[in-house]
Amino acid sequence: MDEQHANSHYSPSRFRTPDGAPTDIVVFTITSEVKKGVKKSLPNRTLRVMLIRRKQWPFEGQWALPGGFTRETETVQACARRELLEETGVSDVHLEYFNVYSSLGRDPRGWMISHAFFALVQEGYLAGRTTSDEASEVHLFPVDEALSMALAFDHRIILQDALDQIRRKMLTTAIAKEFLPEQFTISELYQVIRTVVPTFEERNFIRKITSTRSRKGILEEVLDRNGQPLMSNRYSQRPAQLYRFTDYAPELSIYG
Amino acid sequence: MDEQHANSHYSPSRFRTPDGAPTDIVVFTITSEVKKGVKKSLPNRTLRVMLIRRKQWPFEGQWALPGGFTRETETVQACARRELLEETGVSDVHLEYFNVYSSLGRDPRGWMISHAFFALVQEGYLAGRTTSDEASEVHLFPVDEALSMALAFDHRIILQDALDQIRRKMLTTAIAKEFLPEQFTISELYQVIRTVVPTFEERNFIRKITSTRSRKGILEEVLDRNGQPLMSNRYSQRPAQLYRFTDYAPELSIYG
DNA sequence: TGAATAGTGTCTATGAGACATTATTAG
DNA sequence: CTAATAATGTCTCATAGACACTATTCA
C-alpha cells in the first residue's frame, strides 16, 4: 500500500490520512399526479428526494442519502456515477458536484471527507425502484418532508445546500430541461420552475420567454415536417405550441 | 489509528483509503501601476495569481499553487485558511471553495484528493511577501502568463477553472468589492471588472449602475457628515462621486 | 354551454443603447 | 489653454408589468 511513498521527501505520509472519501448523492425528481375527477388538466407536481434506510451502524434504521466510498481506481465523479447506477439503476442523467463536507465528527466511523452531488432524474427513470410502499428501503420523499426528518450524518445540511443550489440553477441555467421531455409547452416549463422555486412568479411568462429579441432564443418553437407549428393537447383542451431548449446560454450580470 | 473502526459492520476499512486530502489555493490579486509621465490618471491594472516554486519532489523547481495537507483536526476550509495565512500572511480575506480534483495519477506521491479554493486579496495585503525579484520563491504572475507555464500537478487546470469561476462571479455577485477600497468611484469599479473580465463592456456603465430603480441599489452614494456627496480626485482632475456596495444582492434569472 | 388552458391587445412607464455634449480641475 | 476623467442631454426603440380580452377544444 505504501509503495508509492518510497521517496524520502514525502513528508505528509507521516501524518494521519483520511479514513475514506465517500460521496453523497441528492437525487431529485418531480412526480406528477393527475387531478382526479377533472378532465384534461395540468398535473400536480411535487419535488422529491430519494432516501435510503440504513441497514447497519452507524445511524442504523435512519434515512440517509444514497452514496458510497470512492475507490482508488476512480475519481469522485466516477464514484458518484457508479453509486447512482447501483442504487437507482439510472445513467446518463444530470449529475453535478456541489460541495465538500468535512466537519469533525460528522461520521462516527472516522475521518471522512464527503463529496456531495445532486442528480436530476425524470420520474419515469426510477420506475420500480421506488414503490410507494412505505416499508421499502428506498423512498421518494417530498423535499419539505425530508428536511423535517432526522436524517443520518449531516445529510439534512447537505440536502438543504443541494436544494439551494438547484433553486439558483433553475433560474440561472436551463436545468429545467432535466425535468421535462425534449418537447414541452410553456405551461409545463412554468410548472416545473414553480415546483422547484415556489416563489417564482411571472404574470406574463409566455410573453417574456417567447419574445425572441430579449431572450435571444433560450427556447425555439418545434415545427413538424411541413414547417408548421407542432402543438400538444396532452394537458389542455386547446392545443399548445411545443417548444424545446436551444443551446443558447445567456450571460447573466448584475451590472447590465 | 484504527480505534474508531472497532465496529465489525464497518466495511470500508477493508479498502484502501486516500493518502491525503490536500488543498490548493488560487490567490488572485490586482496590481496597479501608475502610468508614468502622465498627470493624474487611472492606473494600469493587472490580474495576477500567486505561485510558489517547489523545493522538493515531486515537480521540484516548478511553479505551483500554494496549499498543503488537511489535518485530522480541521475541515478542508480551515486547512485552506491556515495555509493561506502561513504562506501569504493574510487572514480575513475572501476565500471560497470551488472544486475537487481527484483524477488518477494527478499526484505521484499517491492517491490524493485535492480541494481547490480561490482567494481574492488586495495588493497591499501581500506587501513584502511577493517582491518583484524573479529569483524569489514566491511570485505574482499575470494570469495569462501563468496559464502558459508548465505548472506542477494539474495546477494549470485548477487555475483555469478558478479563473472561469471568478469571471462568472465578478459579473453575478459583488465580489468586485474584494479588489476595491470600501469607497470607490464608478471608474475604479469599471476598471476592476474589466481587469478580470476583459470582454465586459458597457458604454453607459455609470447610467446603469446608478439608476436606482433598475439596479434596486447595488451601490449607494457616500455622503459626508453634512449629508453632502463625498467626492474623490485621486484619479482625476475633476472630483468623482464615491460609492460603496450595499448588502443588496439581486436575484438573477434567465426567465424574467 | 361551461370548464380549462392557450394566447393576444393595449396601455404606460421604464430601461437599453448610442452619441453628442458639457463640467471640473491640475498643471 | 489642454489633458484627462466625470457626468448629463437627448433621441429611439424595446421591454416590463398590469389587466382585460379572445381562442380552442372536450365533455
Side-chain angles (χ1 to χ4, degrees):
Chain A
M1 175 165 168
D2 262 21
E3 72 277 4
Q4 307 195 33
H5 300 170
N7 191 296
S8 63
H9 293 119
Y10 177 49
S11 57
S13 63
R14 284 190 251 113
F15 299 107
R16 183 177 164 195
T17 59
D19 297 318
T23 58
D24 290 306
I25 307 164
V26 186
V27 182
F28 289 108
T29 195
I30 291 182
T31 59
S32 299
E33 317 163 35
V34 291
K35 293 168 186 152
K36 45 191 172 183
V38 198
K39 309 167 193 178
K40 281 194 179 182
S41 69
L42 291 163
N44 287 322
R45 297 181 197 256
T46 310
L47 180 65
R48 290 173 185 266
V49 61
M50 188 176 125
L51 298 177
I52 295 182
R53 205 199 306 270
R54 289 186 58 80
K55 291 178 186 148
Q56 49 181 281
W57 179 87
F59 301 101
E60 185 173 346
Q62 280 186 253
W63 292 95
L65 296 171
F69 286 88
T70 307
R71 300 172 182 167
E72 63 179 295
T73 54
E74 66 189 3
T75 63
V76 299
Q77 286 79 7
C79 169
R81 203 156 281 287
R82 175 176 56 76
E83 294 288 347
L84 185 62
L85 180 60
E86 288 175 6
E87 310 215 43
T88 72
V90 303
S91 56
D92 292 323
V93 297
H94 185 101
L95 178 65
E96 186 173 333
Y97 177 67
F98 71 93
N99 209 358
V100 62
Y101 296 85
S102 61
S103 62
L104 308 184
R106 61 175 296 282
D107 189 324
R109 292 169 298 190
W111 179 15
M112 302 294 182
I113 297 175
S114 180
H115 300 98
F117 293 73
F118 65 82
L120 306 179
V121 185
Q122 305 244 16
E123 184 178 14
Y125 285 40
L126 298 173
R129 304 246 169 190
T130 55
T131 63
S132 52
D133 178 5
E134 285 280 344
S136 167
E137 296 306 311
V138 181
H139 189 69
L140 291 176
F141 290 90
V143 164
D144 291 347
E145 186 179 337
L147 283 170
S148 71
M149 294 163 57
L151 304 182
F153 305 100
D154 48 5
H155 287 187
R156 211 190 70 85
I157 292 168
I158 296 176
L159 171 57
Q160 181 66 60
D161 291 351
L163 182 59
D164 293 346
Q165 280 286 325
I166 69 161
R167 284 193 170 144
R168 189 179 56 77
K169 290 221 153 193
M170 180 62 57
L171 297 183
T172 58
T173 75
I175 60 164
K177 79 170 71 146
E178 307 299 332
F179 289 130
L180 287 166
E182 196 247 335
Q183 303 177 1
F184 51 86
T185 67
I186 299 297
S187 290
E188 283 182 280
L189 172 59
Y190 188 64
Q191 261 210 333
V192 163
I193 297 172
R194 300 247 339 181
T195 301
V196 176
V197 190
T199 58
F200 181 79
E201 189 174 333
E202 288 290 341
R203 307 283 175 108
N204 288 327
F205 186 65
I206 190 173
R207 307 292 278 264
K208 301 175 96 159
I209 203 64
T210 58
S211 76
T212 299
R213 305 248 170 102
S214 68
R215 298 291 137 227
K216 288 162 190 156
I218 297 169
L219 301 185
E220 64 184 7
E221 299 183 3
V222 181
L223 303 179
D224 66 14
R225 266 162 293 181
N226 305 319
Q228 295 305 307
L230 196 56
M231 318 292 277
S232 157
N233 67 339
R234 196 166 17 153
Y235 298 122
S236 60
Q237 326 292 15
R238 174 174 171 176
Q241 174 68 51
L242 286 169
Y243 290 84
R244 68 165 73 88
F245 277 100
T246 67
D247 289 335
Y248 177 67
E251 289 185 8
L252 297 172
S253 165
I254 62 175
Y255 295 116
Chain B
M1 177 165 167
D2 261 21
E3 72 278 2
Q4 307 193 32
H5 299 170
N7 190 296
S8 63
H9 294 120
Y10 177 51
S11 56
S13 63
R14 283 189 253 117
F15 299 108
R16 184 177 163 192
T17 60
D19 298 319
T23 57
D24 290 305
I25 307 165
V26 186
V27 182
F28 289 108
T29 195
I30 291 182
T31 58
S32 300
E33 316 164 36
V34 292
K35 292 169 187 153
K36 44 190 174 184
V38 198
K39 310 166 191 179
K40 283 196 175 181
S41 68
L42 292 163
N44 287 323
R45 298 182 197 255
T46 310
L47 180 66
R48 290 173 186 265
V49 60
M50 188 176 126
L51 297 177
I52 295 182
R53 205 198 305 270
R54 290 186 58 81
K55 289 177 188 151
Q56 51 181 283
W57 180 87
F59 300 102
E60 185 173 347
Q62 280 186 255
W63 294 95
L65 296 171
F69 286 88
T70 306
R71 299 171 183 167
E72 61 180 297
T73 55
E74 66 189 2
T75 63
V76 298
Q77 285 80 7
C79 170
R81 203 156 281 288
R82 174 177 56 75
E83 295 286 348
L84 184 62
L85 179 61
E86 289 175 5
E87 309 216 43
T88 73
V90 304
S91 56
D92 293 322
V93 298
H94 185 101
L95 179 66
E96 184 172 334
Y97 177 67
F98 71 91
N99 208 358
V100 62
Y101 295 85
S102 61
S103 62
L104 308 184
R106 61 175 296 282
D107 189 324
R109 293 169 297 190
W111 180 16
M112 302 294 182
I113 297 175
S114 180
H115 300 97
F117 294 73
F118 65 83
L120 305 179
V121 185
Q122 305 242 17
E123 183 177 13
Y125 285 39
L126 297 174
R129 302 245 170 190
T130 55
T131 64
S132 52
D133 178 5
E134 285 279 346
S136 166
E137 297 306 313
V138 181
H139 189 67
L140 291 176
F141 290 89
V143 165
D144 291 346
E145 187 179 338
L147 283 171
S148 70
M149 294 163 57
L151 304 183
F153 305 100
D154 48 5
H155 287 187
R156 210 191 70 85
I157 292 167
I158 296 176
L159 171 57
Q160 181 66 61
D161 290 351
L163 182 60
D164 293 345
Q165 281 285 325
I166 70 162
R167 284 195 170 144
R168 189 180 55 78
K169 291 220 155 195
M170 180 64 54
L171 298 182
T172 57
T173 75
I175 61 165
K177 80 169 69 148
E178 306 300 333
F179 290 129
L180 288 166
E182 196 246 337
Q183 303 176 2
F184 51 85
T185 66
I186 299 297
S187 290
E188 283 182 281
L189 171 59
Y190 187 65
Q191 260 210 335
V192 163
I193 297 172
R194 299 245 341 179
T195 301
V196 177
V197 189
T199 57
F200 181 80
E201 188 174 334
E202 288 290 341
R203 307 282 175 106
N204 289 326
F205 186 65
I206 189 173
R207 306 294 277 265
K208 301 176 93 159
I209 203 66
T210 58
S211 74
T212 300
R213 305 244 170 105
S214 69
R215 298 290 136 230
K216 286 160 192 157
I218 297 169
L219 301 185
E220 63 184 6
E221 298 183 5
V222 180
L223 303 179
D224 68 13
R225 266 161 294 182
N226 306 319
Q228 295 305 306
L230 195 56
M231 318 292 277
S232 158
N233 67 341
R234 193 163 21 149
Y235 298 122
S236 60
Q237 327 291 13
R238 174 175 171 175
Q241 174 67 51
L242 286 169
Y243 289 83
R244 69 164 72 89
F245 277 100
T246 67
D247 289 335
Y248 177 67
E251 289 185 6
L252 296 171
S253 166
I254 62 174
Y255 296 115

PDB file of all heavy atoms in Angstrom, chain A residues 207-224:
ATOM      1  N   ARG A 207     -45.032  35.734 -22.561  1.00  0.00           N
ATOM      2  CA  ARG A 207     -44.547  36.860 -23.343  1.00  0.00           C
ATOM      3  C   ARG A 207     -43.029  36.949 -23.282  1.00  0.00           C
ATOM      4  O   ARG A 207     -42.347  37.084 -24.297  1.00  0.00           O
ATOM      5  CB  ARG A 207     -45.119  38.184 -22.803  1.00  0.00           C
ATOM      6  CG  ARG A 207     -46.596  38.215 -22.662  1.00  0.00           C
ATOM      7  CD  ARG A 207     -47.294  38.195 -24.003  1.00  0.00           C
ATOM      8  NE  ARG A 207     -47.380  39.470 -24.647  1.00  0.00           N
ATOM      9  CZ  ARG A 207     -48.452  40.267 -24.572  1.00  0.00           C
ATOM     10  NH1 ARG A 207     -49.474  39.925 -23.826  1.00  0.00           N
ATOM     11  NH2 ARG A 207     -48.494  41.384 -25.236  1.00  0.00           N
ATOM     12  N   LYS A 208     -42.531  36.882 -22.046  1.00  0.00           N
ATOM     13  CA  LYS A 208     -41.103  37.079 -21.869  1.00  0.00           C
ATOM     14  C   LYS A 208     -40.289  35.961 -22.512  1.00  0.00           C
ATOM     15  O   LYS A 208     -39.324  36.204 -23.225  1.00  0.00           O
ATOM     16  CB  LYS A 208     -40.780  37.148 -20.380  1.00  0.00           C
ATOM     17  CG  LYS A 208     -41.519  38.254 -19.687  1.00  0.00           C
ATOM     18  CD  LYS A 208     -41.280  38.244 -18.210  1.00  0.00           C
ATOM     19  CE  LYS A 208     -40.192  39.187 -17.834  1.00  0.00           C
ATOM     20  NZ  LYS A 208     -40.263  39.566 -16.403  1.00  0.00           N
ATOM     21  N   ILE A 209     -40.724  34.742 -22.280  1.00  0.00           N
ATOM     22  CA  ILE A 209     -39.922  33.607 -22.727  1.00  0.00           C
ATOM     23  C   ILE A 209     -39.960  33.457 -24.240  1.00  0.00           C
ATOM     24  O   ILE A 209     -39.035  32.911 -24.841  1.00  0.00           O
ATOM     25  CB  ILE A 209     -40.417  32.317 -22.029  1.00  0.00           C
ATOM     26  CG1 ILE A 209     -39.308  31.283 -22.003  1.00  0.00           C
ATOM     27  CG2 ILE A 209     -41.642  31.747 -22.707  1.00  0.00           C
ATOM     28  CD1 ILE A 209     -38.139  31.684 -21.203  1.00  0.00           C
ATOM     29  N   THR A 210     -41.019  33.958 -24.872  1.00  0.00           N
ATOM     30  CA  THR A 210     -41.112  33.786 -26.316  1.00  0.00           C
ATOM     31  C   THR A 210     -40.758  35.050 -27.100  1.00  0.00           C
ATOM     32  O   THR A 210     -40.781  35.035 -28.322  1.00  0.00           O
ATOM     33  CB  THR A 210     -42.532  33.338 -26.717  1.00  0.00           C
ATOM     34  OG1 THR A 210     -43.467  34.313 -26.260  1.00  0.00           O
ATOM     35  CG2 THR A 210     -42.864  31.999 -26.135  1.00  0.00           C
ATOM     36  N   SER A 211     -40.437  36.144 -26.375  1.00  0.00           N
ATOM     37  CA  SER A 211     -40.022  37.342 -27.100  1.00  0.00           C
ATOM     38  C   SER A 211     -38.554  37.177 -27.486  1.00  0.00           C
ATOM     39  O   SER A 211     -37.639  37.439 -26.734  1.00  0.00           O
ATOM     40  CB  SER A 211     -40.225  38.600 -26.252  1.00  0.00           C
ATOM     41  OG  SER A 211     -39.246  38.705 -25.275  1.00  0.00           O
ATOM     42  N   THR A 212     -38.361  36.717 -28.676  1.00  0.00           N
ATOM     43  CA  THR A 212     -37.047  36.288 -29.140  1.00  0.00           C
ATOM     44  C   THR A 212     -35.958  37.332 -28.925  1.00  0.00           C
ATOM     45  O   THR A 212     -34.832  37.002 -28.568  1.00  0.00           O
ATOM     46  CB  THR A 212     -37.112  35.933 -30.630  1.00  0.00           C
ATOM     47  OG1 THR A 212     -38.040  34.874 -30.782  1.00  0.00           O
ATOM     48  CG2 THR A 212     -35.766  35.485 -31.133  1.00  0.00           C
ATOM     49  N   ARG A 213     -36.288  38.575 -29.132  1.00  0.00           N
ATOM     50  CA  ARG A 213     -35.264  39.615 -29.092  1.00  0.00           C
ATOM     51  C   ARG A 213     -34.562  39.686 -27.739  1.00  0.00           C
ATOM     52  O   ARG A 213     -33.350  39.752 -27.662  1.00  0.00           O
ATOM     53  CB  ARG A 213     -35.891  40.980 -29.392  1.00  0.00           C
ATOM     54  CG  ARG A 213     -36.647  41.014 -30.698  1.00  0.00           C
ATOM     55  CD  ARG A 213     -35.988  41.896 -31.729  1.00  0.00           C
ATOM     56  NE  ARG A 213     -36.624  41.701 -33.028  1.00  0.00           N
ATOM     57  CZ  ARG A 213     -37.513  42.529 -33.564  1.00  0.00           C
ATOM     58  NH1 ARG A 213     -37.820  43.641 -32.930  1.00  0.00           N
ATOM     59  NH2 ARG A 213     -38.058  42.288 -34.728  1.00  0.00           N
ATOM     60  N   SER A 214     -35.356  39.672 -26.663  1.00  0.00           N
ATOM     61  CA  SER A 214     -34.730  39.867 -25.354  1.00  0.00           C
ATOM     62  C   SER A 214     -34.046  38.602 -24.869  1.00  0.00           C
ATOM     63  O   SER A 214     -32.929  38.627 -24.375  1.00  0.00           O
ATOM     64  CB  SER A 214     -35.761  40.328 -24.328  1.00  0.00           C
ATOM     65  OG  SER A 214     -36.684  39.292 -24.059  1.00  0.00           O
ATOM     66  N   ARG A 215     -34.730  37.488 -25.022  1.00  0.00           N
ATOM     67  CA  ARG A 215     -34.161  36.232 -24.513  1.00  0.00           C
ATOM     68  C   ARG A 215     -33.112  35.679 -25.462  1.00  0.00           C
ATOM     69  O   ARG A 215     -32.413  34.746 -25.140  1.00  0.00           O
ATOM     70  CB  ARG A 215     -35.272  35.190 -24.310  1.00  0.00           C
ATOM     71  CG  ARG A 215     -36.292  35.579 -23.307  1.00  0.00           C
ATOM     72  CD  ARG A 215     -35.722  35.595 -21.903  1.00  0.00           C
ATOM     73  NE  ARG A 215     -36.185  36.767 -21.204  1.00  0.00           N
ATOM     74  CZ  ARG A 215     -35.411  37.565 -20.518  1.00  0.00           C
ATOM     75  NH1 ARG A 215     -34.139  37.327 -20.422  1.00  0.00           N
ATOM     76  NH2 ARG A 215     -35.896  38.625 -19.922  1.00  0.00           N
ATOM     77  N   LYS A 216     -33.100  36.225 -26.668  1.00  0.00           N
ATOM     78  CA  LYS A 216     -32.146  35.765 -27.678  1.00  0.00           C
ATOM     79  C   LYS A 216     -32.248  34.271 -27.946  1.00  0.00           C
ATOM     80  O   LYS A 216     -31.306  33.626 -28.350  1.00  0.00           O
ATOM     81  CB  LYS A 216     -30.712  36.121 -27.290  1.00  0.00           C
ATOM     82  CG  LYS A 216     -30.451  37.617 -27.421  1.00  0.00           C
ATOM     83  CD  LYS A 216     -29.224  38.014 -26.640  1.00  0.00           C
ATOM     84  CE  LYS A 216     -29.096  39.529 -26.560  1.00  0.00           C
ATOM     85  NZ  LYS A 216     -28.315  40.000 -25.427  1.00  0.00           N
ATOM     86  N   GLY A 217     -33.409  33.707 -27.651  1.00  0.00           N
ATOM     87  CA  GLY A 217     -33.625  32.346 -28.077  1.00  0.00           C
ATOM     88  C   GLY A 217     -33.181  31.261 -27.129  1.00  0.00           C
ATOM     89  O   GLY A 217     -32.442  30.357 -27.500  1.00  0.00           O
ATOM     90  N   ILE A 218     -33.600  31.307 -25.873  1.00  0.00           N
ATOM     91  CA  ILE A 218     -33.417  30.175 -24.967  1.00  0.00           C
ATOM     92  C   ILE A 218     -34.252  29.006 -25.471  1.00  0.00           C
ATOM     93  O   ILE A 218     -33.845  27.858 -25.412  1.00  0.00           O
ATOM     94  CB  ILE A 218     -33.881  30.554 -23.547  1.00  0.00           C
ATOM     95  CG1 ILE A 218     -33.036  31.690 -22.999  1.00  0.00           C
ATOM     96  CG2 ILE A 218     -33.827  29.349 -22.628  1.00  0.00           C
ATOM     97  CD1 ILE A 218     -33.632  32.248 -21.731  1.00  0.00           C
ATOM     98  N   LEU A 219     -35.444  29.331 -25.948  1.00  0.00           N
ATOM     99  CA  LEU A 219     -36.366  28.324 -26.466  1.00  0.00           C
ATOM    100  C   LEU A 219     -36.573  28.547 -27.951  1.00  0.00           C
ATOM    101  O   LEU A 219     -36.408  29.650 -28.459  1.00  0.00           O
ATOM    102  CB  LEU A 219     -37.730  28.452 -25.768  1.00  0.00           C
ATOM    103  CG  LEU A 219     -37.800  28.321 -24.263  1.00  0.00           C
ATOM    104  CD1 LEU A 219     -39.256  28.357 -23.807  1.00  0.00           C
ATOM    105  CD2 LEU A 219     -37.136  27.045 -23.797  1.00  0.00           C
ATOM    106  N   GLU A 220     -36.973  27.452 -28.622  1.00  0.00           N
ATOM    107  CA  GLU A 220     -37.403  27.612 -30.011  1.00  0.00           C
ATOM    108  C   GLU A 220     -38.660  26.791 -30.232  1.00  0.00           C
ATOM    109  O   GLU A 220     -38.861  25.752 -29.595  1.00  0.00           O
ATOM    110  CB  GLU A 220     -36.296  27.180 -30.986  1.00  0.00           C
ATOM    111  CG  GLU A 220     -35.933  25.707 -30.892  1.00  0.00           C
ATOM    112  CD  GLU A 220     -34.761  25.336 -31.801  1.00  0.00           C
ATOM    113  OE1 GLU A 220     -34.166  26.250 -32.386  1.00  0.00           O
ATOM    114  OE2 GLU A 220     -34.450  24.135 -31.892  1.00  0.00           O
ATOM    115  N   GLU A 221     -39.500  27.253 -31.121  1.00  0.00           N
ATOM    116  CA  GLU A 221     -40.726  26.525 -31.435  1.00  0.00           C
ATOM    117  C   GLU A 221     -40.384  25.242 -32.175  1.00  0.00           C
ATOM    118  O   GLU A 221     -39.477  25.213 -32.994  1.00  0.00           O
ATOM    119  CB  GLU A 221     -41.642  27.380 -32.322  1.00  0.00           C
ATOM    120  CG  GLU A 221     -42.088  28.672 -31.676  1.00  0.00           C
ATOM    121  CD  GLU A 221     -43.062  29.440 -32.570  1.00  0.00           C
ATOM    122  OE1 GLU A 221     -43.412  28.916 -33.641  1.00  0.00           O
ATOM    123  OE2 GLU A 221     -43.455  30.548 -32.173  1.00  0.00           O
ATOM    124  N   VAL A 222     -41.139  24.181 -31.875  1.00  0.00           N
ATOM    125  CA  VAL A 222     -40.970  22.930 -32.597  1.00  0.00           C
ATOM    126  C   VAL A 222     -41.901  22.948 -33.804  1.00  0.00           C
ATOM    127  O   VAL A 222     -43.072  23.292 -33.685  1.00  0.00           O
ATOM    128  CB  VAL A 222     -41.308  21.725 -31.696  1.00  0.00           C
ATOM    129  CG1 VAL A 222     -41.110  20.430 -32.460  1.00  0.00           C
ATOM    130  CG2 VAL A 222     -40.426  21.743 -30.450  1.00  0.00           C
ATOM    131  N   LEU A 223     -41.345  22.596 -34.963  1.00  0.00           N
ATOM    132  CA  LEU A 223     -42.137  22.556 -36.195  1.00  0.00           C
ATOM    133  C   LEU A 223     -42.258  21.115 -36.683  1.00  0.00           C
ATOM    134  O   LEU A 223     -41.392  20.283 -36.409  1.00  0.00           O
ATOM    135  CB  LEU A 223     -41.456  23.409 -37.270  1.00  0.00           C
ATOM    136  CG  LEU A 223     -41.198  24.872 -36.899  1.00  0.00           C
ATOM    137  CD1 LEU A 223     -40.497  25.588 -38.037  1.00  0.00           C
ATOM    138  CD2 LEU A 223     -42.486  25.572 -36.522  1.00  0.00           C
ATOM    139  N   ASP A 224     -43.323  20.821 -37.405  1.00  0.00           N
ATOM    140  CA  ASP A 224     -43.454  19.482 -37.969  1.00  0.00           C
ATOM    141  C   ASP A 224     -42.746  19.434 -39.331  1.00  0.00           C
ATOM    142  O   ASP A 224     -42.099  20.384 -39.743  1.00  0.00           O
ATOM    143  CB  ASP A 224     -44.934  19.070 -38.083  1.00  0.00           C
ATOM    144  CG  ASP A 224     -45.680  19.924 -39.094  1.00  0.00           C
ATOM    145  OD1 ASP A 224     -45.032  20.636 -39.887  1.00  0.00           O
ATOM    146  OD2 ASP A 224     -46.920  19.883 -39.083  1.00  0.00           O
TER     147      ASP A 224
END
